[in-house]
Structure formats: structure tokens, C-alpha cells
Amino acid sequence: MSSSKLTKICAYSLIICHFVLLATSCSPSTVTPTTPESVPLDQPEPLSFEDDAGREITLPQKPQRIVVLSPQLLNLLYAVGGRAVARATSTGETVPETAENLEDVGGMTTVHTEKLLALKPDLVIGSTVFHRDLAGVLDESRVPFALFKLGTYSDLKEKAVLFGKIAGTEGKAKEELVKLDRQMNQLTAKVPANQAPTFIMLNVTPSSISVQRQNMIGLEVAAMLKMKNVAETLPASDTSPSTAPFSLEKIVELNPDFIFILIHGARTEGEHKIRSDLAGQPAWASLRAVKENRLAILPSDLFLSNPGFRLNESVEYLAKLVYPDVYGHGK
């Protein structure tokens, strides 16, 4: 082959290689798609609220290890579908069957803080009356601690909604409230409009007797039935503004249509106190309520402490005692 032909072949080869390289460089490159990092769409929102002690509580998420120190509040939590891992106990108080075997952290007024903290709770619920002094140790341990009161029907409605939010069962809480409202309206609608019977409510303990002036669920139930508490205007006790010192002379002067008794503690001891301090007194026997058998010892779980979603039972129980012709005879 001549040198001129070889030169031409080399030139053609270079031209072809040039075009091949050019075509390769201009072709679209293959891009490997990258998967974006997954972003959680259901990240829980924190829940903030103010308790009845004025404390601001923030829960970063739905609590999973709740400890409840009051039977009243435990009953309410369970009624709206919530659950707890431990509870405090109290003599004479009932709790839901599903809560009976919960871990015990002591009595309602004698909580074992070491045992409580060992459970690593993410929320502790207590009573404004009994548990304020636990705030220091729980705050120091960075355990969310909420204090509540459950005295009135209004308290019940407010706390039921809040407990539903805490437990993630707000829908059930609202359903239960609608049901209770309906039952309460049906009961109170039958109250005679032309009657307003008078009453007093006595607190009996093994060592004392006092008259309830205000701030008790039993008084609110009586008011729903259009009853008049004649002890409301009595001078308050020095140690308890909601009660008045017991004075048989004053009660004879008021002479109410009904006398209701609430026993604090063991019923047998309370009944003994009634027999020893009241039953033998001629002035007591002269009272209209005693002579006409309108004296009743009321169940503490329905009238002394707020019964929660059993409040309709409280209304019906008292209505049968006061208006038997309308509601039927009670116990």
C-alpha cells in the first residue's frame, strides 16, 4: 500500500473517531434517581393546658404511663377510654374493674414517691386537695404533674373533655357527655314546679358533726331538684368556709323538711356517732324531718365525692326520696 493511501485511511479513521466521541459526549447521561428522605407525616403535636392549681402543663405526645392519685379522677379517666399504669388507693372508694389490679403507689394521702418515680410515669394526675405537696419532688424529677378538682357538674364536663384529649379518646368523651346530659335533662324535667322542699346536709365522722353550707356535689344535686339548703346562710366554720359548726338548737330553729347525712369513713362508726350524739336528744326527735321519717343517710360515692358519669344515679336516688309520687320510691 502506498504511503498516500495509508495517510488517507488514517485521516478518515481520525474523523470517524472524532464524530463517535462527539456523539457520545452529547448523548444524555443516565441519571440514577435518588430517593428523598422520608418525612414523618403523623408526628404527634404537643398538648398544653392549665391545671386547677394554675400550673402550665405541656405533654410532648400522648402519655403512655399515667399514674392517677385520686379514685375520682381515675374513674373519670377510664370512663372516657383512658388507661393508667398505677393508682393510689382510698378506703371505701370504688374504681373500675379493669383498674383494680394496677400497681399500687400507696394511699391517696400517703403516696410513696420513691415507688411512684420508679415507675417512670410520663404524667401524674392528682387532686388539688390532697397532692399539692408532691409538686416539688415531681417537678425536680421532670415528671409532668397536673392537679385537678372535681367538685361540680361543670368540673366534670370540663375535665372529661380534657382527659379525652390526654388519652386520645376525645370522641368517646364527648359521646359520654352527650349521653349524660340527656339523662340529666330527662330526670330534672320531671321535678314538680310548685314545690321547693327545704333540707340540711350533715357531715358525720367518728369524732365530729358539721353542717355543709356549700361546695359539695350533694348540694348541687339537691339544687337540681329545686330543693333549698337552709344551712347556706349559717356562719362558716373557722377552719372550713364550706361548713358550719353543728348546733342542734339552730337546726331546730330552721326545722327543715329533710335531713340528709353523709358519713365520712366507716359507716358503722358514723352510725354509732349518730346514735350517741343525736338519736337520744329530745330536740332531735322534735324535728319535722325526724318525726315524718324524712331523714336519710346518703351513699358517699354518689353525694360526698363527685360520681362522674354516674351523676344521673345521684339525681335519681335523691329524687325518689324527695318526690316519690313522681319518681317512685327509693331505698
Side-chain angles (χ1 to χ4, degrees), residues 108-128:
M108 184 169 67
T109 59
T110 54
V111 176
H112 300 311
T113 53
E114 290 184 5
K115 191 172 185 180
L116 171 60
L117 292 173
L119 292 170
K120 300 187 182 305
D122 50 8
L123 175 63
V124 176
I125 295 175
S127 161
T128 54

Side-chain angles (χ1 to χ4, degrees), residues 86-292:
R87 66 183 179 94
T89 58
S90 179
T91 304
E93 294 280 3
T94 58
V95 297
E97 185 177 348
T98 51
E100 289 178 354
N101 296 322
L102 291 179
E103 189 79 25
D104 181 357
V105 294
M108 184 169 67
T109 59
T110 54
V111 176
H112 300 311
T113 53
E114 290 184 5
K115 191 172 185 180
L116 171 60
L117 292 173
L119 292 170
K120 300 187 182 305
D122 50 8
L123 175 63
V124 176
I125 295 175
S127 161
T128 54
V129 176
F130 299 110
H131 303 122
R132 287 178 184 265
D133 58 345
L134 296 177
V137 65
L138 291 174
D139 289 348
E140 185 178 344
S141 301
R142 298 185 181 279
V143 175
F145 181 40
L147 292 163
F148 297 112
K149 61 182 177 68
L150 197 61
T152 65
Y153 190 19
S154 177
D155 289 338
L156 168 61
K157 291 180 178 182
E158 179 185 331
K159 301 310 179 301
V161 173
L162 177 57
F163 281 21
K165 291 179 179 178
I166 291 172
T169 56
E170 194 173 358
K172 178 174 174 58
K174 291 180 178 179
E175 287 177 7
E176 292 296 327
L177 283 174
V178 169
K179 178 181 175 182
L180 180 60
D181 272 336
R182 182 170 61 251
Q183 293 170 329
M184 297 288 284
N185 290 334
Q186 289 172 348
L187 287 167
T188 56
K190 297 192 294 182
V191 176
N194 58 346
Q195 298 184 42
T198 60
F199 76 98
I200 60 168
M201 195 167 285
L202 302 180
N203 298 300
V204 175
T205 75
S207 60
S208 67
I209 300 175
S210 63
V211 184
Q212 193 70 30
R213 297 176 59 249
Q214 56 191 20
N215 296 339
M216 181 180 284
I217 192 64
L219 298 182
E220 185 175 9
V221 170
M224 292 177 185
L225 297 174
K226 294 184 171 61
M227 300 189 73
K228 178 176 175 55
N229 177 22
V230 292
E232 188 175 17
T233 58
L234 292 178
S237 167
D238 293 336
T239 57
S240 174
S242 62
T243 65
F246 176 76
S247 166
L248 183 53
E249 181 181 357
K250 190 64 179 177
I251 291 175
V252 169
E253 181 182 326
L254 295 172
N255 201 19
D257 297 316
F258 290 86
I259 296 175
F260 301 126
I261 297 176
L262 290 167
I263 294 177
H264 299 241
R267 185 181 176 102
T268 53
E269 294 182 6
E271 290 177 342
H272 175 75
K273 183 70 173 176
I274 294 168
R275 288 193 300 270
S276 63
D277 288 26
L278 300 177
Q281 299 278 358
W284 177 259
S286 72
L287 289 167
R288 176 168 55 239
V290 176
K291 290 191 294 184
E292 297 180 3

Side-chain angles (χ1 to χ4, degrees), residues 75-88:
N75 282 323
L76 183 58
L77 178 65
Y78 272 64
V80 300
R83 291 295 180 265
V85 297
R87 66 183 179 94

